[in-house]
Amino acid sequence: MKIKNLITAVILFSSGFGILNAEIIKLDTDKTSMVFKADKGKKLKHLYYGDKIQDSDLKNLTSAVGSGATVYPDYGMITVPETAVAMIHSDGNMTLDLRVEAVEKKIVDGKDVTSIILKDSYYPVSVKINYKSFPEQDMFETWTEITNNENDNIKLTRFASAHLPIRKGNVWLSHLHGAWGNETKVEHEPLQHGMKIIKNRNGTRNSHLAHSEVMFSLDGKPDENNGRTIGAALCWGGNYRLKIDTDETKNHSFIAGINEDDSPYNLKPGETFVTPELALTYSTEGLGGVSRNFHKWARKYKLMHGDKERKVLLNSWEGVYFDINEKGMASMMKDITDMGGELFVMDDGWFGVKYPRNNDKSSLGDWMVDKRKLPHGIKGLLKEADKNKIKFGIWIEPEFTNVKSELFEAHPEYVIKPENRTPVYGRGGGQMVLDLSNPAVQDLVYTVVDTLMTNYPDIDYIKWDANMDLTNHGSQYLSADNQSHLLTDYHKGLRKALDRIRAKYPDLTIQLCSGGGGRANYGLLPYFDEFWVSDNTDALQRIFIQWGTSYFYPSIAMASHISAAPNHQTFRTIPIKFRTDVAMSGRLGIEMQPVHMTLDEREQTRKAIADYKSIRPIVQFGDLYRLISPYDEKGVASLMYVDEAKENAVVYWYKTKAFRNEILPRIKFSGLDPEKRYTVTELNRIDTKPLSFEGKKYSGTYLMSSGLEIPVNHELPKDKRTDWSSRVLKLTAN
Ligand code: DGJ
């Protein structure tokens, strides 16, 4: 949200930087343009967002609503439409009348930032609307800065990040909904009259139930490869509200921002409220094109170390849960090393002195090693990891405490809790949220990481968890007048702590976890390397969950682990081949106790890890093409990654249903070079006979137009056959 590295600042109402004349502002990326009409003293109007247009077309540009729809609709003088900003002035007046004052152009972090400054026609209040362009990824980030120059406080009651008018037509909305263990279910629906609201009110986490990212297909029913499509993501870790109002005007009004419910924000004289960014992209290549733009932008700008390969890891949670002990950790480390892994992560259960963490009822906040479980402490574990030539990682949940903890006993004032109320507790019946609006708590959270890393600089990876909603609205730190700041200031405070952590530990790998996929958002991801997609590790259900997640998030960020059979969440028994093939399509890891694995499971996992290493750069940095959606219920799901040079690709194919004599669709590949010839090799193979196309060469044209017929079942001895079937194919140009 902050503007860093200011290089130039030019106030202009002249040509240059894409500003053609006094009124028209054109912002370009490589393939898209966004155009505004900014007449001084008038409302700022939106004219265009879509394919890149020539300057010569600008003068004749017409918009759906005559001279254009208002870019940042303000409340008060025209009271009927949905508005993006509203406030109560210090004298009680509830109206705004924002008009264009100036246009600024800066270069920030090497990117063009265009700012349009609006001023109220009477009150000394200004709103700066910013657009940062990412040309190669066809992405804009837009956010606003609302400044109070009155003599007394103003109260912001609405403060959206942005409003985007979308020309009415057969426009469809695609969005993600779900629940814990069933995150990111894809939903598509046509926009019809009325209001569609997608929102979150959890307080701490925001993506279990819905996502703050959406796509709009402008040419009717969403298509994976074709059609003009807009993608939008609100970069915020807290409560959000995305509204799409389809009223009598010629536009759908899309308004996105922090959820203002229970959160009016007071601005003192001279203060500025900065909204989170809304990221916008546009593609003519349908949903897939929008996803690829998001993935490229994320890897380059919105994810820590997006250009570095991720390690294959074993995480201890589903293997031993809270049963942490030195012998067990050492044995897991040896086992993951034997299978070819590169990192071991010790999950929950390692800490607590006065109160040992044996279950979820105590100890959060007491980040001291439990020497009864680990007599040689973390040093001992690091030594063990070193002996195995792997790296070591550790779990923390620093934003929370338990009532049964030394931290709470010493600092009951650190928890979020209103006066005069008996608190509602979270996980385990005693968990509470620490008040990150309080600078002392921000410092505490920073110190949790800093102490660990100072004492044990060899820790390579931290799993940062968050397992509770923000209940008990009440800050013991904020003043009585500012209690409504809590839901916003919690996240501002969290970012402050993370800024400090990243300033000191830029190389540390940190996973963002939240009882599974509760924190897949671009507000927090810039501080993290990856996120735990779901607590549900069932391979079949993961195909659906990871499919939805891939709409906006790149595979390199998606932690995807092989787990035990029967699965701990669905109790389904899935063969190891299918489990490994699904996990291999994201950031591969393992989530089970190796000592309980059969020889066959170990062997297949070892093979999968070795094969994964051979395709890791393609999976983690390649372009994603979704070929057949599991949501289309065709009995099959398929996706592929293609590297930038279109030299190498990996194709995943999963049978999602089993019927005798079923006819499954042939797989037509995507994203290849039609002129190149590709050799097909099966990876992670279990069949006794190679596939008919094994080792054969096909042109990119053939693979994309005709595709390959994948056999429905595996070729196996009778006693090894199951109703599960999956394939991983590598394509190599030569
Ligand atoms: C919830 C996470 O999603 C799990 O992976 C695990 O880390 C537990 N918390 C530990 O309490």
PDB file of all heavy atoms in Angstrom, residues 3 57 68 100 114 159 167 188 197 247 300 308 413 434 464 467 531 539 559-560 601 623 687 697 710 714 718 722:
ATOM      1  N   ILE A   3       3.816   3.894  -1.118  1.00  0.00           N
ATOM      2  CA  ILE A   3       4.569   4.230  -2.320  1.00  0.00           C
ATOM      3  C   ILE A   3       6.029   4.339  -1.933  1.00  0.00           C
ATOM      4  O   ILE A   3       6.400   5.149  -1.106  1.00  0.00           O
ATOM      5  CB  ILE A   3       4.069   5.552  -2.924  1.00  0.00           C
ATOM      6  CG1 ILE A   3       2.619   5.364  -3.373  1.00  0.00           C
ATOM      7  CG2 ILE A   3       4.937   5.984  -4.073  1.00  0.00           C
ATOM      8  CD1 ILE A   3       2.000   6.587  -3.956  1.00  0.00           C
ATOM      9  N   ASP A  57      -7.663   6.500 -31.911  1.00  0.00           N
ATOM     10  CA  ASP A  57      -9.063   6.153 -31.619  1.00  0.00           C
ATOM     11  C   ASP A  57      -9.608   6.900 -30.404  1.00  0.00           C
ATOM     12  O   ASP A  57     -10.810   6.880 -30.148  1.00  0.00           O
ATOM     13  CB  ASP A  57      -9.189   4.648 -31.354  1.00  0.00           C
ATOM     14  CG  ASP A  57      -9.154   3.862 -32.647  1.00  0.00           C
ATOM     15  OD1 ASP A  57      -9.671   4.393 -33.654  1.00  0.00           O
ATOM     16  OD2 ASP A  57      -8.607   2.750 -32.655  1.00  0.00           O
ATOM     17  N   GLY A  68     -19.285   8.794 -20.006  1.00  0.00           N
ATOM     18  CA  GLY A  68     -18.570   7.852 -19.133  1.00  0.00           C
ATOM     19  C   GLY A  68     -19.189   7.763 -17.753  1.00  0.00           C
ATOM     20  O   GLY A  68     -19.847   8.695 -17.282  1.00  0.00           O
ATOM     21  N   VAL A 100     -12.203  16.619 -10.391  1.00  0.00           N
ATOM     22  CA  VAL A 100     -10.799  16.475 -10.805  1.00  0.00           C
ATOM     23  C   VAL A 100     -10.034  17.762 -10.517  1.00  0.00           C
ATOM     24  O   VAL A 100     -10.474  18.854 -10.871  1.00  0.00           O
ATOM     25  CB  VAL A 100     -10.705  16.155 -12.312  1.00  0.00           C
ATOM     26  CG1 VAL A 100      -9.251  16.139 -12.770  1.00  0.00           C
ATOM     27  CG2 VAL A 100     -11.381  14.826 -12.621  1.00  0.00           C
ATOM     28  N   THR A 114       0.099   6.469 -12.231  1.00  0.00           N
ATOM     29  CA  THR A 114      -0.662   7.661 -12.585  1.00  0.00           C
ATOM     30  C   THR A 114      -1.656   7.927 -11.467  1.00  0.00           C
ATOM     31  O   THR A 114      -2.367   7.014 -11.046  1.00  0.00           O
ATOM     32  CB  THR A 114      -1.426   7.437 -13.905  1.00  0.00           C
ATOM     33  OG1 THR A 114      -0.476   7.055 -14.891  1.00  0.00           O
ATOM     34  CG2 THR A 114      -2.162   8.680 -14.356  1.00  0.00           C
ATOM     35  N   PHE A 159     -15.235   3.309   1.909  1.00  0.00           N
ATOM     36  CA  PHE A 159     -13.881   3.627   1.422  1.00  0.00           C
ATOM     37  C   PHE A 159     -13.380   2.499   0.533  1.00  0.00           C
ATOM     38  O   PHE A 159     -12.398   1.827   0.827  1.00  0.00           O
ATOM     39  CB  PHE A 159     -12.919   3.905   2.586  1.00  0.00           C
ATOM     40  CG  PHE A 159     -13.135   3.047   3.818  1.00  0.00           C
ATOM     41  CD1 PHE A 159     -12.471   1.838   3.958  1.00  0.00           C
ATOM     42  CD2 PHE A 159     -14.001   3.449   4.837  1.00  0.00           C
ATOM     43  CE1 PHE A 159     -12.661   1.052   5.095  1.00  0.00           C
ATOM     44  CE2 PHE A 159     -14.200   2.666   5.964  1.00  0.00           C
ATOM     45  CZ  PHE A 159     -13.522   1.454   6.097  1.00  0.00           C
ATOM     46  N   ARG A 167     -19.572  -2.689 -19.132  1.00  0.00           N
ATOM     47  CA  ARG A 167     -20.689  -2.552 -20.072  1.00  0.00           C
ATOM     48  C   ARG A 167     -21.627  -3.738 -19.960  1.00  0.00           C
ATOM     49  O   ARG A 167     -21.195  -4.883 -19.976  1.00  0.00           O
ATOM     50  CB  ARG A 167     -20.107  -2.466 -21.495  1.00  0.00           C
ATOM     51  CG  ARG A 167     -21.112  -2.489 -22.615  1.00  0.00           C
ATOM     52  CD  ARG A 167     -21.912  -1.184 -22.666  1.00  0.00           C
ATOM     53  NE  ARG A 167     -22.772  -1.143 -23.832  1.00  0.00           N
ATOM     54  CZ  ARG A 167     -24.035  -1.614 -23.857  1.00  0.00           C
ATOM     55  NH1 ARG A 167     -24.547  -2.182 -22.799  1.00  0.00           N
ATOM     56  NH2 ARG A 167     -24.745  -1.500 -24.962  1.00  0.00           N
ATOM     57  N   HIS A 188     -19.866 -20.258 -11.578  1.00  0.00           N
ATOM     58  CA  HIS A 188     -20.067 -19.302 -12.688  1.00  0.00           C
ATOM     59  C   HIS A 188     -21.543 -18.919 -12.716  1.00  0.00           C
ATOM     60  O   HIS A 188     -22.394 -19.783 -12.586  1.00  0.00           O
ATOM     61  CB  HIS A 188     -19.741 -19.950 -14.037  1.00  0.00           C
ATOM     62  CG  HIS A 188     -18.378 -20.558 -14.125  1.00  0.00           C
ATOM     63  ND1 HIS A 188     -17.222 -19.818 -14.188  1.00  0.00           N
ATOM     64  CD2 HIS A 188     -17.981 -21.862 -14.181  1.00  0.00           C
ATOM     65  CE1 HIS A 188     -16.172 -20.637 -14.273  1.00  0.00           C
ATOM     66  NE2 HIS A 188     -16.609 -21.881 -14.261  1.00  0.00           N
ATOM     67  N   ILE A 197     -23.243  -9.788  -3.915  1.00  0.00           N
ATOM     68  CA  ILE A 197     -22.224  -9.380  -2.941  1.00  0.00           C
ATOM     69  C   ILE A 197     -21.382 -10.588  -2.562  1.00  0.00           C
ATOM     70  O   ILE A 197     -21.928 -11.650  -2.231  1.00  0.00           O
ATOM     71  CB  ILE A 197     -22.862  -8.782  -1.677  1.00  0.00           C
ATOM     72  CG1 ILE A 197     -23.591  -7.486  -2.048  1.00  0.00           C
ATOM     73  CG2 ILE A 197     -21.815  -8.516  -0.596  1.00  0.00           C
ATOM     74  CD1 ILE A 197     -24.201  -6.757  -0.886  1.00  0.00           C
ATOM     75  N   ASP A 247     -28.074  -2.428 -12.325  1.00  0.00           N
ATOM     76  CA  ASP A 247     -29.288  -1.631 -12.162  1.00  0.00           C
ATOM     77  C   ASP A 247     -29.795  -1.143 -13.517  1.00  0.00           C
ATOM     78  O   ASP A 247     -29.543  -1.769 -14.531  1.00  0.00           O
ATOM     79  CB  ASP A 247     -29.032  -0.476 -11.181  1.00  0.00           C
ATOM     80  CG  ASP A 247     -27.920   0.433 -11.677  1.00  0.00           C
ATOM     81  OD1 ASP A 247     -27.497   0.271 -12.842  1.00  0.00           O
ATOM     82  OD2 ASP A 247     -27.477   1.310 -10.916  1.00  0.00           O
ATOM     83  N   LYS A 300       6.337 -12.616 -10.072  1.00  0.00           N
ATOM     84  CA  LYS A 300       7.309 -11.531 -10.154  1.00  0.00           C
ATOM     85  C   LYS A 300       7.169 -10.512  -9.024  1.00  0.00           C
ATOM     86  O   LYS A 300       8.160  -9.983  -8.534  1.00  0.00           O
ATOM     87  CB  LYS A 300       7.149 -10.855 -11.517  1.00  0.00           C
ATOM     88  CG  LYS A 300       8.229  -9.914 -11.864  1.00  0.00           C
ATOM     89  CD  LYS A 300       8.791 -10.100 -13.236  1.00  0.00           C
ATOM     90  CE  LYS A 300      10.064  -9.280 -13.345  1.00  0.00           C
ATOM     91  NZ  LYS A 300      10.283  -8.746 -14.650  1.00  0.00           N
ATOM     92  N   LYS A 308      12.370 -18.647  -7.377  1.00  0.00           N
ATOM     93  CA  LYS A 308      13.257 -19.682  -6.808  1.00  0.00           C
ATOM     94  C   LYS A 308      12.498 -20.991  -6.634  1.00  0.00           C
ATOM     95  O   LYS A 308      11.370 -21.007  -6.127  1.00  0.00           O
ATOM     96  CB  LYS A 308      13.775 -19.241  -5.436  1.00  0.00           C
ATOM     97  CG  LYS A 308      14.633 -18.021  -5.491  1.00  0.00           C
ATOM     98  CD  LYS A 308      15.790 -18.097  -4.485  1.00  0.00           C
ATOM     99  CE  LYS A 308      16.839 -17.056  -4.787  1.00  0.00           C
ATOM    100  NZ  LYS A 308      16.312 -15.671  -4.758  1.00  0.00           N
ATOM    101  N   GLU A 413      -3.873  -7.994  28.770  1.00  0.00           N
ATOM    102  CA  GLU A 413      -4.288  -6.792  28.014  1.00  0.00           C
ATOM    103  C   GLU A 413      -3.957  -6.906  26.524  1.00  0.00           C
ATOM    104  O   GLU A 413      -4.351  -6.058  25.734  1.00  0.00           O
ATOM    105  CB  GLU A 413      -3.631  -5.533  28.615  1.00  0.00           C
ATOM    106  CG  GLU A 413      -2.164  -5.295  28.280  1.00  0.00           C
ATOM    107  CD  GLU A 413      -1.171  -6.151  29.084  1.00  0.00           C
ATOM    108  OE1 GLU A 413      -1.613  -7.084  29.792  1.00  0.00           O
ATOM    109  OE2 GLU A 413       0.042  -5.895  28.978  1.00  0.00           O
ATOM    110  N   LEU A 434      -4.627 -12.067  19.440  1.00  0.00           N
ATOM    111  CA  LEU A 434      -3.840 -10.951  19.984  1.00  0.00           C
ATOM    112  C   LEU A 434      -4.190  -9.678  19.217  1.00  0.00           C
ATOM    113  O   LEU A 434      -4.465  -9.720  18.008  1.00  0.00           O
ATOM    114  CB  LEU A 434      -2.342 -11.258  19.867  1.00  0.00           C
ATOM    115  CG  LEU A 434      -1.841 -12.424  20.734  1.00  0.00           C
ATOM    116  CD1 LEU A 434      -0.398 -12.771  20.386  1.00  0.00           C
ATOM    117  CD2 LEU A 434      -1.961 -12.092  22.224  1.00  0.00           C
ATOM    118  N   TRP A 464       3.518 -20.493   9.213  1.00  0.00           N
ATOM    119  CA  TRP A 464       2.827 -19.465  10.010  1.00  0.00           C
ATOM    120  C   TRP A 464       1.336 -19.738   9.915  1.00  0.00           C
ATOM    121  O   TRP A 464       0.730 -19.536   8.879  1.00  0.00           O
ATOM    122  CB  TRP A 464       3.182 -18.096   9.432  1.00  0.00           C
ATOM    123  CG  TRP A 464       2.586 -16.905  10.090  1.00  0.00           C
ATOM    124  CD1 TRP A 464       1.272 -16.643  10.335  1.00  0.00           C
ATOM    125  CD2 TRP A 464       3.307 -15.744  10.567  1.00  0.00           C
ATOM    126  NE1 TRP A 464       1.118 -15.415  10.921  1.00  0.00           N
ATOM    127  CE2 TRP A 464       2.348 -14.845  11.077  1.00  0.00           C
ATOM    128  CE3 TRP A 464       4.655 -15.397  10.606  1.00  0.00           C
ATOM    129  CZ2 TRP A 464       2.713 -13.600  11.616  1.00  0.00           C
ATOM    130  CZ3 TRP A 464       5.011 -14.156  11.135  1.00  0.00           C
ATOM    131  CH2 TRP A 464       4.038 -13.271  11.645  1.00  0.00           C
ATOM    132  N   ASN A 467      -5.552 -19.989  13.242  1.00  0.00           N
ATOM    133  CA  ASN A 467      -6.665 -20.929  13.370  1.00  0.00           C
ATOM    134  C   ASN A 467      -7.886 -20.380  14.094  1.00  0.00           C
ATOM    135  O   ASN A 467      -8.656 -21.129  14.672  1.00  0.00           O
ATOM    136  CB  ASN A 467      -6.178 -22.186  14.105  1.00  0.00           C
ATOM    137  CG  ASN A 467      -5.257 -23.005  13.239  1.00  0.00           C
ATOM    138  OD1 ASN A 467      -5.654 -23.482  12.188  1.00  0.00           O
ATOM    139  ND2 ASN A 467      -4.003 -23.141  13.653  1.00  0.00           N
ATOM    140  N   PHE A 531       1.273 -20.965   0.265  1.00  0.00           N
ATOM    141  CA  PHE A 531       0.237 -21.161   1.271  1.00  0.00           C
ATOM    142  C   PHE A 531      -0.231 -22.609   1.256  1.00  0.00           C
ATOM    143  O   PHE A 531      -0.107 -23.322   0.262  1.00  0.00           O
ATOM    144  CB  PHE A 531      -0.932 -20.189   1.096  1.00  0.00           C
ATOM    145  CG  PHE A 531      -1.593 -20.249  -0.258  1.00  0.00           C
ATOM    146  CD1 PHE A 531      -2.653 -21.106  -0.497  1.00  0.00           C
ATOM    147  CD2 PHE A 531      -1.149 -19.441  -1.290  1.00  0.00           C
ATOM    148  CE1 PHE A 531      -3.264 -21.159  -1.744  1.00  0.00           C
ATOM    149  CE2 PHE A 531      -1.744 -19.483  -2.543  1.00  0.00           C
ATOM    150  CZ  PHE A 531      -2.808 -20.347  -2.766  1.00  0.00           C
ATOM    151  N   ALA A 539      -6.768 -36.723  -2.320  1.00  0.00           N
ATOM    152  CA  ALA A 539      -6.287 -36.389  -3.665  1.00  0.00           C
ATOM    153  C   ALA A 539      -7.430 -36.054  -4.626  1.00  0.00           C
ATOM    154  O   ALA A 539      -7.305 -35.136  -5.443  1.00  0.00           O
ATOM    155  CB  ALA A 539      -5.446 -37.533  -4.211  1.00  0.00           C
ATOM    156  N   ALA A 559       0.918 -25.319  -1.783  1.00  0.00           N
ATOM    157  CA  ALA A 559       1.483 -26.478  -1.090  1.00  0.00           C
ATOM    158  C   ALA A 559       0.525 -27.657  -1.238  1.00  0.00           C
ATOM    159  O   ALA A 559      -0.641 -27.581  -0.882  1.00  0.00           O
ATOM    160  CB  ALA A 559       1.698 -26.139   0.375  1.00  0.00           C
ATOM    161  N   SER A 560       1.068 -28.746  -1.761  1.00  0.00           N
ATOM    162  CA  SER A 560       0.237 -29.860  -2.197  1.00  0.00           C
ATOM    163  C   SER A 560       0.930 -31.152  -1.750  1.00  0.00           C
ATOM    164  O   SER A 560       1.990 -31.491  -2.276  1.00  0.00           O
ATOM    165  CB  SER A 560       0.157 -29.708  -3.723  1.00  0.00           C
ATOM    166  OG  SER A 560      -0.387 -30.797  -4.337  1.00  0.00           O
ATOM    167  N   GLU A 601       4.256 -47.879  -1.181  1.00  0.00           N
ATOM    168  CA  GLU A 601       4.029 -46.432  -1.045  1.00  0.00           C
ATOM    169  C   GLU A 601       5.358 -45.669  -1.007  1.00  0.00           C
ATOM    170  O   GLU A 601       5.513 -44.629  -1.640  1.00  0.00           O
ATOM    171  CB  GLU A 601       3.252 -46.139   0.247  1.00  0.00           C
ATOM    172  CG  GLU A 601       1.768 -46.441   0.147  1.00  0.00           C
ATOM    173  CD  GLU A 601       1.014 -46.127   1.431  1.00  0.00           C
ATOM    174  OE1 GLU A 601       1.562 -46.406   2.531  1.00  0.00           O
ATOM    175  OE2 GLU A 601      -0.111 -45.630   1.350  1.00  0.00           O
ATOM    176  N   ASP A 623       3.670 -21.838 -17.665  1.00  0.00           N
ATOM    177  CA  ASP A 623       2.314 -21.304 -17.880  1.00  0.00           C
ATOM    178  C   ASP A 623       1.312 -22.423 -17.715  1.00  0.00           C
ATOM    179  O   ASP A 623       1.481 -23.507 -18.289  1.00  0.00           O
ATOM    180  CB  ASP A 623       2.197 -20.745 -19.304  1.00  0.00           C
ATOM    181  CG  ASP A 623       2.764 -19.349 -19.398  1.00  0.00           C
ATOM    182  OD1 ASP A 623       2.750 -18.637 -18.378  1.00  0.00           O
ATOM    183  OD2 ASP A 623       3.234 -18.982 -20.490  1.00  0.00           O
ATOM    184  N   ASP A 687       2.570 -48.851 -14.861  1.00  0.00           N
ATOM    185  CA  ASP A 687       2.083 -49.905 -15.761  1.00  0.00           C
ATOM    186  C   ASP A 687       3.192 -50.884 -16.136  1.00  0.00           C
ATOM    187  O   ASP A 687       4.360 -50.514 -16.224  1.00  0.00           O
ATOM    188  CB  ASP A 687       1.519 -49.300 -17.045  1.00  0.00           C
ATOM    189  CG  ASP A 687       0.320 -48.420 -16.770  1.00  0.00           C
ATOM    190  OD1 ASP A 687       0.390 -47.644 -15.796  1.00  0.00           O
ATOM    191  OD2 ASP A 687      -0.664 -48.509 -17.497  1.00  0.00           O
ATOM    192  N   LYS A 697       7.199 -39.075 -31.158  1.00  0.00           N
ATOM    193  CA  LYS A 697       7.239 -37.620 -31.382  1.00  0.00           C
ATOM    194  C   LYS A 697       5.970 -37.155 -32.076  1.00  0.00           C
ATOM    195  O   LYS A 697       5.521 -37.809 -33.029  1.00  0.00           O
ATOM    196  CB  LYS A 697       8.406 -37.306 -32.316  1.00  0.00           C
ATOM    197  CG  LYS A 697       9.656 -36.927 -31.616  1.00  0.00           C
ATOM    198  CD  LYS A 697      10.655 -36.412 -32.603  1.00  0.00           C
ATOM    199  CE  LYS A 697      12.014 -36.548 -31.944  1.00  0.00           C
ATOM    200  NZ  LYS A 697      13.101 -36.278 -32.819  1.00  0.00           N
ATOM    201  N   ILE A 710      -5.880 -41.106 -23.858  1.00  0.00           N
ATOM    202  CA  ILE A 710      -5.234 -41.708 -22.679  1.00  0.00           C
ATOM    203  C   ILE A 710      -6.037 -42.952 -22.285  1.00  0.00           C
ATOM    204  O   ILE A 710      -7.267 -42.860 -22.127  1.00  0.00           O
ATOM    205  CB  ILE A 710      -5.211 -40.728 -21.485  1.00  0.00           C
ATOM    206  CG1 ILE A 710      -4.722 -39.350 -21.923  1.00  0.00           C
ATOM    207  CG2 ILE A 710      -4.435 -41.288 -20.310  1.00  0.00           C
ATOM    208  CD1 ILE A 710      -3.268 -39.085 -21.929  1.00  0.00           C
ATOM    209  N   HIS A 714      -5.049 -48.527 -15.887  1.00  0.00           N
ATOM    210  CA  HIS A 714      -3.629 -48.889 -15.899  1.00  0.00           C
ATOM    211  C   HIS A 714      -3.469 -50.342 -16.315  1.00  0.00           C
ATOM    212  O   HIS A 714      -4.340 -51.175 -16.054  1.00  0.00           O
ATOM    213  CB  HIS A 714      -3.025 -48.694 -14.505  1.00  0.00           C
ATOM    214  CG  HIS A 714      -2.870 -47.255 -14.145  1.00  0.00           C
ATOM    215  ND1 HIS A 714      -1.909 -46.446 -14.710  1.00  0.00           N
ATOM    216  CD2 HIS A 714      -3.558 -46.461 -13.282  1.00  0.00           C
ATOM    217  CE1 HIS A 714      -2.014 -45.228 -14.208  1.00  0.00           C
ATOM    218  NE2 HIS A 714      -3.014 -45.212 -13.346  1.00  0.00           N
ATOM    219  N   LYS A 718      -3.546 -58.509 -12.204  1.00  0.00           N
ATOM    220  CA  LYS A 718      -4.922 -58.490 -11.659  1.00  0.00           C
ATOM    221  C   LYS A 718      -5.004 -58.023 -10.210  1.00  0.00           C
ATOM    222  O   LYS A 718      -5.847 -57.199  -9.851  1.00  0.00           O
ATOM    223  CB  LYS A 718      -5.508 -59.899 -11.762  1.00  0.00           C
ATOM    224  CG  LYS A 718      -6.462 -60.019 -12.905  1.00  0.00           C
ATOM    225  CD  LYS A 718      -7.340 -61.219 -12.708  1.00  0.00           C
ATOM    226  CE  LYS A 718      -8.315 -61.258 -13.863  1.00  0.00           C
ATOM    227  NZ  LYS A 718      -8.546 -62.566 -14.367  1.00  0.00           N
ATOM    228  N   THR A 722      -6.997 -51.260  -9.677  1.00  0.00           N
ATOM    229  CA  THR A 722      -7.993 -50.541  -8.863  1.00  0.00           C
ATOM    230  C   THR A 722      -8.866 -49.721  -9.820  1.00  0.00           C
ATOM    231  O   THR A 722      -8.624 -49.700 -11.026  1.00  0.00           O
ATOM    232  CB  THR A 722      -7.339 -49.555  -7.877  1.00  0.00           C
ATOM    233  OG1 THR A 722      -6.815 -48.455  -8.621  1.00  0.00           O
ATOM    234  CG2 THR A 722      -6.256 -50.201  -7.047  1.00  0.00           C
TER     235      THR A 722
END
